[in-house]
Amino acid sequence: MEGYTVPESINRILVINPGSTSTKIGVFDNEKSIFEKTIRHSNDEINQFNNIIEQYEFRKKTILESLDKDGINISKLKAVCGRGGLLRPIEGGTYRVNDEMLSDLRAGFAGEHASNLGGIIAHEIASGLNIPAYIVDPVVVDELEPIARISGFSLIDRKSIFHALNQKAVSRRVAQELGKKYEELNLIVAHMGGGITVGVHKEGRVVDVNNGLHGDGPFSPERAGTVPAGDLVALCYSGQYFYEEMMKKLVGQGGLVGYLHTNDAIAVEKMIENGDEQAKLVYSAMAYQVAKEIGSASAVLSGKVDAIILTGGLAYGKEFVQAIRERVKWIADVIVHPGENELQALAEGALRVLRGEEQEKHYPNPVRSSERI
């Protein structure tokens, strides 16, 4: 990298994706990745802090040291983009980091999560360079139509918490492959990872989606998804479990973990190859529930579906994908984009704004009251 002059036509973007024990960073010249790295943080390093937000100075320092060590000249950056955190419900898009956002991230408005550090660190680095800092499509993206919020239980509304960054990014890629704009298509996108979310993308807006955090939808490697409500209430009041124990059984110890004691899909596939009938049944049931959710999503669009997209880590499993495809291919063509390239998605979001293809949005840009009911 030393001695390389960045052409004026190049928008060089630093992207930052903090995880619980690592920080993924990347540098992009327009759409091209020129540097990517995962910085691992030891338990000792993490445990010296009382909470996640206190880690931001430490993580910022490790990022800057890593960039310097690898010969990245940050003075050539045009923008810094961080992973969006648990903020107020907002519509999708690329948001300029502002004081209101920083306040909510630091306060943990919707909960503590490592992704809250993304916007804070991006702002800290960008401020020193006098360039903009952004976040793109955080998990709290909320574009639900009013009818989709009705749960059937008046004390609880359905919530939009899902893999917005990857779902939106892969939708745009498929639209480009089809020679269309994202805003012209009706798509059903199933992100299948540790959690599974199935989004209904209607002309550029996710008008319905299951709550992938600890809500409804298909069970996943670690999450229970929708379970029989009456039985769940009875179990909660059985006296056998505390609140924290029940939450762990739903999120973290649900799904494959609860049935098969592993969240590793590859390990489950090996169990099936070795003749484990229980593993085969449970794995098939997970594919079955994803297909059911896709079928429900098609009803939202009255069957007018341009494509079904399968993405996320589980989309690498050929037999798992095929099991879903066989059940839903009658609805629309099934397009598979395995994995989730979050760094690329963040860079693309910032790039659209830098190029003037989209207007940057300003937080909180709240969901309209008519949409919230």
Side-chain angles (χ1 to χ4, degrees):
M1 298 298 300
E2 292 183 4
Y4 171 64
T5 302
V6 183
E8 286 298 319
S9 60
I10 295 293
N11 289 298
R12 176 164 287 184
I13 304 164
L14 168 64
V15 294
I16 302 166
N17 183 9
S20 57
T21 60
S22 67
T23 304
K24 296 178 181 178
I25 60 173
V27 178
F28 288 76
D29 280 356
N30 293 342
E31 295 91 345
K32 183 181 178 182
S33 171
I34 62 168
F35 172 78
E36 291 189 27
K37 185 174 184 178
T38 299
I39 304 170
R40 306 288 179 186
H41 308 302
S42 69
N43 288 332
D44 288 341
E45 289 175 320
I46 295 298
N47 291 337
Q48 66 180 305
F49 302 102
N50 295 319
N51 54 52
I52 289 173
I53 295 305
E54 288 184 3
Q55 299 172 21
Y56 89 87
E57 188 68 46
F58 158 72
R59 295 216 195 197
K60 183 185 79 168
K61 181 180 177 183
T62 61
I63 290 169
L64 293 175
E65 287 176 350
S66 180
L67 292 171
D68 183 62
K69 181 179 178 181
D70 287 282
I72 303 293
N73 184 352
I74 64 171
S75 69
K76 303 299 181 181
L77 294 174
K78 298 289 182 66
V80 185
C81 188
R83 180 73 186 271
L86 296 175
L87 294 160
R88 300 171 192 269
I90 53 176
E91 65 179 11
T94 299
Y95 285 77
R96 184 81 168 253
V97 179
N98 60 19
D99 289 341
E100 291 171 280
M101 182 186 295
L102 291 170
S103 177
D104 281 350
L105 289 173
R106 289 179 178 131
F109 174 83
E112 276 206 2
H113 192 273
S115 62
N116 290 3
L117 293 167
I120 296 172
I121 298 171
H123 172 77
E124 290 282 325
I125 295 175
S127 294
L129 299 170
N130 198 29
I131 57 176
Y134 299 108
I135 66 164
V136 181
D137 291 327
V139 295
V140 293
V141 164
D142 186 340
E143 299 169 340
L144 297 188
E145 292 183 341
I147 198 169
R149 299 186 189 281
I150 303 296
S151 70
F153 183 48
S154 62
L155 299 180
I156 299 174
D157 288 340
R158 293 186 65 243
K159 295 181 176 66
S160 177
I161 301 177
F162 71 110
H163 304 90
L165 181 63
N166 187 45
Q167 283 210 25
K168 292 267 190 179
V170 76
S171 294
R172 289 188 177 93
R173 290 179 199 132
V174 168
Q176 189 174 30
E177 291 168 7
L178 296 176
K180 299 276 190 177
K181 292 182 178 180
Y182 171 47
E183 293 77 14
E184 297 173 341
L185 296 174
N186 288 340
L187 303 168
I188 297 172
V189 185
H191 175 108
M192 306 177 299
I196 294 176
T197 56
V198 179
V200 181
H201 295 241
K202 182 180 180 181
E203 298 176 349
R205 293 178 66 83
V206 184
V207 298
D208 202 344
V209 65
N210 63 292
N211 177 347
L213 183 59
H214 47 67
D216 47 8
F219 74 83
S220 75
E222 299 178 349
R223 298 171 193 178
T226 301
V227 296
D231 293 337
L232 178 61
V233 171
L235 195 58
C236 288
Y237 284 89
S238 67
Q240 299 179 60
Y241 305 102
F242 293 111
Y243 171 84
E244 292 80 8
E245 292 176 298
M246 284 303 303
M247 288 303 295
K248 284 182 180 179
K249 286 187 176 297
L250 293 173
V251 182
Q253 297 175 3
L256 295 185
V257 174
Y259 286 105
L260 305 174
H261 310 294
T262 180
N263 63 359
D264 187 344
I266 294 175
V268 174
E269 289 171 355
K270 289 181 179 177
M271 293 164 67
I272 295 170
E273 289 176 9
N274 293 331
D276 189 323
E277 290 298 322
Q278 174 69 357
K280 181 178 180 180
L281 177 62
V282 171
Y283 205 48
S284 296
M286 188 165 68
Y288 172 83
Q289 288 197 6
V290 174
K292 277 181 65 177
E293 195 76 13
I294 291 171
S296 297
S298 71
V300 175
L301 295 169
S302 302
K304 298 175 182 176
V305 183
D306 293 299
I308 296 166
I309 305 171
L310 304 182
T311 185
L314 291 176
Y316 285 110
K318 293 182 180 179
E319 292 185 6
F320 185 75
V321 164
Q322 186 59 23
I324 297 170
R325 189 196 302 271
E326 286 300 314
R327 292 186 183 276
V328 303
K329 63 183 180 182
W330 59 274
I331 300 171
D333 289 341
V334 179
I335 300 172
V336 182
H337 275 261
E340 52 176 319
N341 195 337
E342 294 172 331
L343 296 182
Q344 182 81 38
L346 290 170
E348 289 171 356
L351 187 59
R352 287 191 296 273
V353 167
L354 292 176
R355 285 175 168 170
E357 298 169 358
E358 286 182 15
Q359 290 292 317
E360 67 180 39
K361 294 183 177 179
H362 299 278
Y363 184 80
N365 191 23
V367 176
R368 296 188 295 272
S369 59
S370 61
E371 294 175 331
R372 295 292 297 175
I373 301 181

